[in-house]
Structures are given as structure tokens and as C-alpha cells.
Amino acid sequence: MHHFKDKLQDDLLNLLKSVKKPLLLREIYHLLNLPKEKRPKVREVLKFLEAQNKVIKLKKRKYALPEQVSFLKGRLRVHPDGYGFVETEKERIFIPPRFIGKALDGDIVLVRIDRVSLKGPEGRIIEVVERKRKNLVGYLVKRKKAYFVEPEDPRIPFEIYIPKKRLNKAQVNHLVVAKIIQPTSEYGFPVGEIIKDLGDPLNLESHTWAVVYTYDLPHLWTEELMAELQKLPEEVILEDKKGRTDLTKIPFVTIDGENARDFDDAVCVQKTKKGYKLWVAIADVAHYVKKGSFLDQEAYLRGTSVYFPTMVIPMFHEKLSNHLCSLNPNVDRLAMIVEIDFSHDGEVANQKFYEGVIHSHARLTYTEVKKMVVDHDQETIEKYQDLYPMLDTAAELAFILREKRLKRGSLDFDLPEPEIIINIKGEVENIVKRERNLAHMLIEDFMIAANEAVASFLTQKGYPFLYRVHETPDINKLKQLSEIFLSYGIEVTFPEEVTPQFFQRLISQFSGKPYAYLFNHLLLRSLKQAKYTPENLGHFGLASTCYCHFTSPIRRYPDLVVHRTLKAALKRKKPVYKEEELEKMGKHLSEKERTAEEAEREVLKRFQCFFMKDKIGMTFNGIITGVTAFGFFVDLLEYMVSGVVRVVDLEDDFYVLDEKGIALIGQKTGKVFQIGQSVTVRVKEVDLRRFYINFVLA
């Protein structure tokens, strides 16, 4: 009997191989020429083969070999309207709501493509490979005698039932974190347990924590890590200074924002006979954090510090980030030094790298430096009279370096960034445009110089490390842009080899024009995202052929990787990391950087809603920054807040999205709303559960 089954297995597999396409059950009966009484056996064998993944059952009882059906692995993104997209390595696959099944937003899933339409591939989710969401954040509600958590995220289509004994003292109507402990319950919902009560949803702090848990940001320190910290000294000790260059007499200063707590970098500039000498001192984190230690593992897991308006989730414990590694004023600190000699016109004449000890002479703020070197404010100059000449020289060098970099095509979009002002009561008082003055640029220019110096040195020496790369934009994306520009009567032909200079010329061509906003926005969208990789693909945005991140090892892990490599290269030891290892690290660290950006944006969105909640009915001027089929996005000019005007609220006409996706056009009146247009809007509603701000035209 077994013999028949084995033979049947072989026959079935051979049949599917030879026909090269999925077969219906009846086609199998027919092609294998089987009498009725043998048919149940075929079904049994097919079931067995299916369980072993040797055969795959498709819809309508079709059977195929796994290699005939392409399964792709990717991350699911669910839209609040119920449909989703799976982003795979190569493409985005559309998933209709009914084919999402039990998968949740963020999950890693296997998909099968069912058809390819004009809009692209469409498919269904076969299985969830990895549940990305460990925690679900929501509101604890009580109905009759049962407790439920209503997820905050509109993309999660179900509630979670919480048995009484799993409440863990959480309060009703509070924001809570639940984890699913079993997939279904008598209510048809999953069963969960509350692992944290985040507090009253009217508090900003609760919402910051909600984001921390939603994005699963690690924020606790383990006991092993704390034990390692204990062993580190409180201050820099004598034996740690051994073999280091003593630069304590050099007038290093740190320049940072008012609220900064971790000082990664200090600078000093001197005039020389042939030009300038720049010292950039970067906190020597690698001296204290050994590869593979608990401190190191935790930092790698976090990848980066995450900055929220009311708190920071640091990559390293405060003892390191705000104390031992922070280049605080008037104390000795260990640092990695980059010393560069520049000619009068900003050419690098010589560069040296070494381990040093510095003693910061002052903790300056961007505002103070601007007052001195831009406004020539006498009071501030007198306060720092010993340092003022040095800062003046620094401003001179920074100007030369910036000019030089702009000449080679470095892009400066100077996009406004929001800064949230919180008052003493812990409420959002204002959301303003973050200032970016000459002092900010000065530090930026010196940091770029140091990053490039280190990257080129390590490249020359042949040590593998993580580059910071930014690839050339995709020519096809740019060709689509040309069409949009044409509709504004502007002809732009993109060269086959797109250079930063070309981009730069485009930006300056638009600047000051009414549609500058739109074009910068579109150009920016056509750029790729910067990432970390051991392959030197160059940095398009900075027009740099060789670039890395070296200057922020307290708050970014990739910088620490570069520090370790630099130390090894200086001591001529063998490389610290292998190419393959760096490949994996680069992917992980780039992903962590994205997550941090998303989390910071999410908190901003919430804080914007809190700020606007008492402004309902008020009128503001704004600019249209995005257009979709359901409405358009507006950024206000007075405050750094954005909201949406929905098509359903445009009652004068029926509006349809144009094929280029940059304008909504009224069918009767031909009235147009497009990106970059100025509008006056009134605040209609602010939703503090779903976090959106709705405007209507005033």
C-alpha cells in the first residue's frame, strides 16, 4: 500500500513539474488517468505534500509547486481605510482588505502576487512570518462588566479583551499598553494583558510614552549594564591619559543649543602662516565602551538616541552621555582629535588623527556665538573676551569651507524644522521654526570637514567601516518630474548623469519664484534616503565622494563603529569589523534611524494637535504641501503645524485628482488646488484620539 502512495507522490510531483502551471483537482485526476475509487487517495497524498510544503494549494483548489508560485517576503503597511501594501526588496504589492487576514501593520509577511494591473502588482498575504508589534497602545474602556482596550492606531481593526485579573491596576480611560496573550476570546477579540498604564490621555507625557511603546523603543537599562557602569570611573583618571596628546591648554569650546545635554564635539581654530588650523575633538566613547560589552550591545540595539520635546531616550546611560563622555566645560575629557591644516582658500594641506585629552574652555550656545560673530554684540564679546578672537577666526574659516562646498554642488534645502516650546505647566506654548544661523552652519561645516577627513583616511588605509552614503537620484523618477515642470511651462531636461551641481542650479533657478516651495518639495522627494553601508557609494546631497559619520558617537552608533576602526588604523592593528558584518550592521542601523525619525514625527503630530485644540474656529494663512484624492495638506505660516482640507468639505464643486497627482481640479468650475498654492483656512476640528487636524477654506 505504501508503495502506491510513494508512487503517487512521485507521479503528482512529476506531473506538476512537467505542466509548469497550477492544476485543478479534476485536471490532476484526468491527467493521471485515475479511476473514481483512487481519488480520495490523491486528495490524501496532496494534503500530505501540502503539509510538507512540497505542494501549494491555491484558491479554487488549484495545486502548484512552490517554485511555480512566487512568494515574496516584506513588511506590511496598512492604511486606515483597510487596504495595505507589502514593501518587498523590489516592489510594493497592493493588498485588498479581504486578503490581509490576521496580519497587522508592521508585520513581516509572505505574499503571493495574484495579478499585475496597470497600477502595479496585487496580491494576498499567505502567512505572518514575524509579528513586529509586541505592544498595542490604546484606551482602556469598560462596557457592562468587561474591560477592553481600543487601539489608538486606526490601522488595527480589532479591540482587545482584558480579563479582570490581567488589568494590573490600570485605570479606565487611561492610555495603556497591552500585549496579546491569546488570539481569540468569547468576545471574538484577542485576549490581552495590560503591561503598563501610561496615564491620563490629556497629558503630553502620556503621549510621548505611548509612542515609545508603539515603536517598541528600548528604554530600560539591564542589571548587567548597570554593573558595567559601576566599574567606570566618575571622572577622567590619570592612567587613562597615558599615551595621549595633552591639548588641555588649547582653547576648545563646545557650541550647542540651549537645551543640549550631551556634548559630542568641541572645536578650536587658529590662523597660521599658510592659512588656518582646525582642531575637532570628539568624545572618545570607544575608550569606555568595549566591543561586545553590555553597554555596547544595548547601544547597538538602540542604534541612536531618540529626541522628544519633553525627554530623550539616550543610546548610552546618563553617566556616559551627560557626564564621562560629554565634553563639559572646565573638566578634562578624553577625545579623538582630527587636526586639519587648510590653505587660505580652504584646501586641505595636511591632516592628523590622534587620541588626546582636552579641557573645554566654555560651553557656548548658538545664540551667543551668533551675537558675537554676526551682531558684534559688545556685552557678549566682553563676557567671552578671551575666546572672541578665536571664534572670529573660526567664522572666517567656516565661511571659506562652505563656499568651497557649495561650489562643488553641495545641496542646501534649508527646510524649516519645527521646534516645540513647552511652558512650565508642561503644555505646548508655541511651535516655531527652528532657527538656523551662522553659528549652526559653522559647526556643521567643521563636522563635515572632520567626517570627510576620517572617511578618506580610512579608505586610503583600506580599513572596512560604515560609510554614510546618499545615492544619485533615480533618472526615471526625475523624468516624471520633468512632466510636472512642463505643466508649469518650465522645460527641464535631466542629463543622463545627474550631478549635485545640476540639482543645485535647478534649486537656485526656482528660488524666489511663487512655485519654489513646490519644486523644492518635489526635488527633495526624488532624492533617495541616506543610509549606512560598507560600500562607498558617495554622498550626493553633500556632493562628497567619501563620507562617514564620526562626530556624534554619544548619540549615533555608526559613529562609534568609525571610532573603533580609526583607533585600530592608528595603531596599525587588524580591522575591527569584517565587510559582511558591516553589511548587516548598516541595514540594522539605517532601519533604527528611520524608526527614530518616525517616532519623533509621531510625537510632533500629537503635540501639534494639543497645541491646536483651543484654536478651533480661528483663521490662518497657509500653503498647500500635498494633494491626495481625499483632500489636500496645508502647512500654516504662523505656526509650524499642518492639517488637511478634505474633499468632502469642499462643497462648491466635485474635485478630482489630476493624473500627475499635484492638483485637485473642480469638475464644473475648473477651480484648482495645487501644491505650493497659498490658502486661508479655518480650523474645523482637532481629533485627539486619531491625531488629525481638519481645516476648511475660510
PDB file of all heavy atoms in Angstrom, residues 600-619:
ATOM      1  N   GLU A 600       9.781  60.351  16.262  1.00  0.00           N
ATOM      2  CA  GLU A 600       9.868  61.789  16.543  1.00  0.00           C
ATOM      3  C   GLU A 600       8.758  62.541  15.795  1.00  0.00           C
ATOM      4  O   GLU A 600       8.140  63.444  16.333  1.00  0.00           O
ATOM      5  CB  GLU A 600      11.251  62.331  16.140  1.00  0.00           C
ATOM      6  CG  GLU A 600      12.349  61.914  17.128  1.00  0.00           C
ATOM      7  CD  GLU A 600      13.786  62.152  16.624  1.00  0.00           C
ATOM      8  OE1 GLU A 600      13.945  62.779  15.555  1.00  0.00           O
ATOM      9  OE2 GLU A 600      14.725  61.711  17.308  1.00  0.00           O
ATOM     10  N   ARG A 601       8.487  62.113  14.554  1.00  0.00           N
ATOM     11  CA  ARG A 601       7.425  62.749  13.769  1.00  0.00           C
ATOM     12  C   ARG A 601       6.057  62.503  14.394  1.00  0.00           C
ATOM     13  O   ARG A 601       5.193  63.377  14.420  1.00  0.00           O
ATOM     14  CB  ARG A 601       7.460  62.226  12.339  1.00  0.00           C
ATOM     15  CG  ARG A 601       7.385  63.366  11.307  1.00  0.00           C
ATOM     16  CD  ARG A 601       7.333  62.894   9.869  1.00  0.00           C
ATOM     17  NE  ARG A 601       7.848  61.583   9.779  1.00  0.00           N
ATOM     18  CZ  ARG A 601       8.872  61.125   9.040  1.00  0.00           C
ATOM     19  NH1 ARG A 601       9.444  61.759   8.306  1.00  0.00           N
ATOM     20  NH2 ARG A 601       9.317  59.946   9.018  1.00  0.00           N
ATOM     21  N   GLU A 602       5.874  61.287  14.891  1.00  0.00           N
ATOM     22  CA  GLU A 602       4.601  60.911  15.509  1.00  0.00           C
ATOM     23  C   GLU A 602       4.323  61.770  16.754  1.00  0.00           C
ATOM     24  O   GLU A 602       3.211  62.247  16.960  1.00  0.00           O
ATOM     25  CB  GLU A 602       4.650  59.419  15.860  1.00  0.00           C
ATOM     26  CG  GLU A 602       3.445  58.861  16.560  1.00  0.00           C
ATOM     27  CD  GLU A 602       2.181  58.840  15.711  1.00  0.00           C
ATOM     28  OE1 GLU A 602       2.275  58.738  14.471  1.00  0.00           O
ATOM     29  OE2 GLU A 602       1.099  58.932  16.311  1.00  0.00           O
ATOM     30  N   VAL A 603       5.349  61.968  17.577  1.00  0.00           N
ATOM     31  CA  VAL A 603       5.174  62.800  18.773  1.00  0.00           C
ATOM     32  C   VAL A 603       4.862  64.241  18.361  1.00  0.00           C
ATOM     33  O   VAL A 603       3.988  64.892  18.933  1.00  0.00           O
ATOM     34  CB  VAL A 603       6.422  62.747  19.690  1.00  0.00           C
ATOM     35  CG1 VAL A 603       6.378  63.831  20.751  1.00  0.00           C
ATOM     36  CG2 VAL A 603       6.501  61.380  20.359  1.00  0.00           C
ATOM     37  N   LEU A 604       5.564  64.712  17.345  1.00  0.00           N
ATOM     38  CA  LEU A 604       5.320  66.065  16.838  1.00  0.00           C
ATOM     39  C   LEU A 604       3.853  66.223  16.431  1.00  0.00           C
ATOM     40  O   LEU A 604       3.198  67.206  16.770  1.00  0.00           O
ATOM     41  CB  LEU A 604       6.243  66.345  15.646  1.00  0.00           C
ATOM     42  CG  LEU A 604       5.966  67.648  14.889  1.00  0.00           C
ATOM     43  CD1 LEU A 604       6.339  68.848  15.747  1.00  0.00           C
ATOM     44  CD2 LEU A 604       6.740  67.697  13.575  1.00  0.00           C
ATOM     45  N   LYS A 605       3.335  65.207  15.721  1.00  0.00           N
ATOM     46  CA  LYS A 605       1.949  65.241  15.245  1.00  0.00           C
ATOM     47  C   LYS A 605       0.990  65.386  16.427  1.00  0.00           C
ATOM     48  O   LYS A 605       0.042  66.167  16.395  1.00  0.00           O
ATOM     49  CB  LYS A 605       1.673  63.936  14.488  1.00  0.00           C
ATOM     50  CG  LYS A 605       0.494  63.975  13.552  1.00  0.00           C
ATOM     51  CD  LYS A 605       0.428  62.701  12.701  1.00  0.00           C
ATOM     52  CE  LYS A 605      -0.364  61.632  13.428  1.00  0.00           C
ATOM     53  NZ  LYS A 605      -0.374  60.343  12.717  1.00  0.00           N
ATOM     54  N   ARG A 606       1.275  64.617  17.483  1.00  0.00           N
ATOM     55  CA  ARG A 606       0.409  64.674  18.661  1.00  0.00           C
ATOM     56  C   ARG A 606       0.486  66.032  19.340  1.00  0.00           C
ATOM     57  O   ARG A 606      -0.529  66.599  19.743  1.00  0.00           O
ATOM     58  CB  ARG A 606       0.819  63.582  19.649  1.00  0.00           C
ATOM     59  CG  ARG A 606       0.531  62.201  19.112  1.00  0.00           C
ATOM     60  CD  ARG A 606       1.107  61.124  19.997  1.00  0.00           C
ATOM     61  NE  ARG A 606       0.949  59.842  19.334  1.00  0.00           N
ATOM     62  CZ  ARG A 606       0.304  58.809  19.867  1.00  0.00           C
ATOM     63  NH1 ARG A 606      -0.212  58.911  21.066  1.00  0.00           N
ATOM     64  NH2 ARG A 606       0.192  57.681  19.211  1.00  0.00           N
ATOM     65  N   PHE A 607       1.716  66.529  19.479  1.00  0.00           N
ATOM     66  CA  PHE A 607       1.886  67.816  20.154  1.00  0.00           C
ATOM     67  C   PHE A 607       1.233  68.945  19.346  1.00  0.00           C
ATOM     68  O   PHE A 607       0.708  69.891  19.905  1.00  0.00           O
ATOM     69  CB  PHE A 607       3.372  68.103  20.400  1.00  0.00           C
ATOM     70  CG  PHE A 607       3.930  67.350  21.593  1.00  0.00           C
ATOM     71  CD1 PHE A 607       3.450  66.097  21.927  1.00  0.00           C
ATOM     72  CD2 PHE A 607       4.936  67.895  22.379  1.00  0.00           C
ATOM     73  CE1 PHE A 607       3.952  65.397  23.022  1.00  0.00           C
ATOM     74  CE2 PHE A 607       5.439  67.205  23.483  1.00  0.00           C
ATOM     75  CZ  PHE A 607       4.949  65.952  23.799  1.00  0.00           C
ATOM     76  N   GLN A 608       1.265  68.813  18.017  1.00  0.00           N
ATOM     77  CA  GLN A 608       0.604  69.822  17.178  1.00  0.00           C
ATOM     78  C   GLN A 608      -0.901  69.844  17.475  1.00  0.00           C
ATOM     79  O   GLN A 608      -1.506  70.909  17.567  1.00  0.00           O
ATOM     80  CB  GLN A 608       0.816  69.502  15.695  1.00  0.00           C
ATOM     81  CG  GLN A 608       2.210  69.840  15.205  1.00  0.00           C
ATOM     82  CD  GLN A 608       2.413  69.471  13.728  1.00  0.00           C
ATOM     83  OE1 GLN A 608       1.768  68.574  13.203  1.00  0.00           O
ATOM     84  NE2 GLN A 608       3.318  70.172  13.077  1.00  0.00           N
ATOM     85  N   CYS A 609      -1.486  68.652  17.627  1.00  0.00           N
ATOM     86  CA  CYS A 609      -2.922  68.580  17.923  1.00  0.00           C
ATOM     87  C   CYS A 609      -3.236  69.211  19.272  1.00  0.00           C
ATOM     88  O   CYS A 609      -4.216  69.941  19.411  1.00  0.00           O
ATOM     89  CB  CYS A 609      -3.406  67.135  17.887  1.00  0.00           C
ATOM     90  SG  CYS A 609      -3.508  66.497  16.213  1.00  0.00           S
ATOM     91  N   PHE A 610      -2.413  68.938  20.273  1.00  0.00           N
ATOM     92  CA  PHE A 610      -2.629  69.543  21.591  1.00  0.00           C
ATOM     93  C   PHE A 610      -2.541  71.066  21.509  1.00  0.00           C
ATOM     94  O   PHE A 610      -3.289  71.781  22.148  1.00  0.00           O
ATOM     95  CB  PHE A 610      -1.604  69.017  22.600  1.00  0.00           C
ATOM     96  CG  PHE A 610      -2.055  67.753  23.270  1.00  0.00           C
ATOM     97  CD1 PHE A 610      -1.764  66.514  22.726  1.00  0.00           C
ATOM     98  CD2 PHE A 610      -2.807  67.797  24.437  1.00  0.00           C
ATOM     99  CE1 PHE A 610      -2.207  65.345  23.321  1.00  0.00           C
ATOM    100  CE2 PHE A 610      -3.257  66.644  25.044  1.00  0.00           C
ATOM    101  CZ  PHE A 610      -2.958  65.405  24.491  1.00  0.00           C
ATOM    102  N   PHE A 611      -1.611  71.528  20.691  1.00  0.00           N
ATOM    103  CA  PHE A 611      -1.406  72.969  20.544  1.00  0.00           C
ATOM    104  C   PHE A 611      -2.612  73.623  19.862  1.00  0.00           C
ATOM    105  O   PHE A 611      -2.994  74.737  20.176  1.00  0.00           O
ATOM    106  CB  PHE A 611      -0.130  73.210  19.726  1.00  0.00           C
ATOM    107  CG  PHE A 611       0.154  74.658  19.447  1.00  0.00           C
ATOM    108  CD1 PHE A 611       0.338  75.563  20.489  1.00  0.00           C
ATOM    109  CD2 PHE A 611       0.242  75.112  18.142  1.00  0.00           C
ATOM    110  CE1 PHE A 611       0.605  76.899  20.233  1.00  0.00           C
ATOM    111  CE2 PHE A 611       0.511  76.455  17.877  1.00  0.00           C
ATOM    112  CZ  PHE A 611       0.690  77.346  18.931  1.00  0.00           C
ATOM    113  N   MET A 612      -3.227  72.904  18.912  1.00  0.00           N
ATOM    114  CA  MET A 612      -4.313  73.497  18.120  1.00  0.00           C
ATOM    115  C   MET A 612      -5.694  73.296  18.740  1.00  0.00           C
ATOM    116  O   MET A 612      -6.674  73.843  18.257  1.00  0.00           O
ATOM    117  CB  MET A 612      -4.315  72.906  16.703  1.00  0.00           C
ATOM    118  CG  MET A 612      -3.102  73.239  15.856  1.00  0.00           C
ATOM    119  SD  MET A 612      -2.786  75.006  15.667  1.00  0.00           S
ATOM    120  CE  MET A 612      -4.058  75.444  14.463  1.00  0.00           C
ATOM    121  N   LYS A 613      -5.776  72.490  19.813  1.00  0.00           N
ATOM    122  CA  LYS A 613      -7.108  72.109  20.276  1.00  0.00           C
ATOM    123  C   LYS A 613      -7.945  73.295  20.774  1.00  0.00           C
ATOM    124  O   LYS A 613      -9.161  73.256  20.732  1.00  0.00           O
ATOM    125  CB  LYS A 613      -7.035  70.991  21.321  1.00  0.00           C
ATOM    126  CG  LYS A 613      -6.452  71.375  22.679  1.00  0.00           C
ATOM    127  CD  LYS A 613      -6.589  70.190  23.653  1.00  0.00           C
ATOM    128  CE  LYS A 613      -6.422  70.614  25.101  1.00  0.00           C
ATOM    129  NZ  LYS A 613      -5.007  70.736  25.489  1.00  0.00           N
ATOM    130  N   ASP A 614      -7.272  74.376  21.223  1.00  0.00           N
ATOM    131  CA  ASP A 614      -8.042  75.541  21.683  1.00  0.00           C
ATOM    132  C   ASP A 614      -8.146  76.612  20.597  1.00  0.00           C
ATOM    133  O   ASP A 614      -8.481  77.756  20.863  1.00  0.00           O
ATOM    134  CB  ASP A 614      -7.409  76.133  22.955  1.00  0.00           C
ATOM    135  CG  ASP A 614      -5.956  76.532  22.733  1.00  0.00           C
ATOM    136  OD1 ASP A 614      -5.445  76.339  21.605  1.00  0.00           O
ATOM    137  OD2 ASP A 614      -5.315  77.033  23.678  1.00  0.00           O
ATOM    138  N   LYS A 615      -7.827  76.249  19.336  1.00  0.00           N
ATOM    139  CA  LYS A 615      -7.846  77.249  18.254  1.00  0.00           C
ATOM    140  C   LYS A 615      -8.929  76.949  17.220  1.00  0.00           C
ATOM    141  O   LYS A 615      -8.857  77.423  16.089  1.00  0.00           O
ATOM    142  CB  LYS A 615      -6.458  77.316  17.584  1.00  0.00           C
ATOM    143  CG  LYS A 615      -5.384  77.781  18.572  1.00  0.00           C
ATOM    144  CD  LYS A 615      -4.008  77.824  17.974  1.00  0.00           C
ATOM    145  CE  LYS A 615      -2.980  78.311  18.981  1.00  0.00           C
ATOM    146  NZ  LYS A 615      -3.013  77.607  20.285  1.00  0.00           N
ATOM    147  N   ILE A 616      -9.933  76.162  17.624  1.00  0.00           N
ATOM    148  CA  ILE A 616     -10.998  75.807  16.690  1.00  0.00           C
ATOM    149  C   ILE A 616     -11.790  77.070  16.320  1.00  0.00           C
ATOM    150  O   ILE A 616     -12.076  77.900  17.169  1.00  0.00           O
ATOM    151  CB  ILE A 616     -11.904  74.712  17.293  1.00  0.00           C
ATOM    152  CG1 ILE A 616     -11.084  73.404  17.306  1.00  0.00           C
ATOM    153  CG2 ILE A 616     -13.193  74.521  16.499  1.00  0.00           C
ATOM    154  CD1 ILE A 616     -11.667  72.277  18.045  1.00  0.00           C
ATOM    155  N   GLY A 617     -12.062  77.210  15.008  1.00  0.00           N
ATOM    156  CA  GLY A 617     -12.790  78.394  14.541  1.00  0.00           C
ATOM    157  C   GLY A 617     -11.881  79.548  14.147  1.00  0.00           C
ATOM    158  O   GLY A 617     -12.310  80.510  13.530  1.00  0.00           O
ATOM    159  N   MET A 618     -10.580  79.445  14.513  1.00  0.00           N
ATOM    160  CA  MET A 618      -9.662  80.529  14.167  1.00  0.00           C
ATOM    161  C   MET A 618      -9.167  80.380  12.728  1.00  0.00           C
ATOM    162  O   MET A 618      -9.133  79.291  12.176  1.00  0.00           O
ATOM    163  CB  MET A 618      -8.479  80.558  15.143  1.00  0.00           C
ATOM    164  CG  MET A 618      -8.874  81.046  16.524  1.00  0.00           C
ATOM    165  SD  MET A 618      -7.614  80.741  17.782  1.00  0.00           S
ATOM    166  CE  MET A 618      -6.377  81.931  17.344  1.00  0.00           C
ATOM    167  N   THR A 619      -8.755  81.521  12.141  1.00  0.00           N
ATOM    168  CA  THR A 619      -8.352  81.534  10.733  1.00  0.00           C
ATOM    169  C   THR A 619      -6.849  81.755  10.595  1.00  0.00           C
ATOM    170  O   THR A 619      -6.272  82.544  11.342  1.00  0.00           O
ATOM    171  CB  THR A 619      -9.109  82.656  10.005  1.00  0.00           C
ATOM    172  OG1 THR A 619     -10.507  82.441  10.217  1.00  0.00           O
ATOM    173  CG2 THR A 619      -8.839  82.618   8.517  1.00  0.00           C
TER     174      THR A 619
END
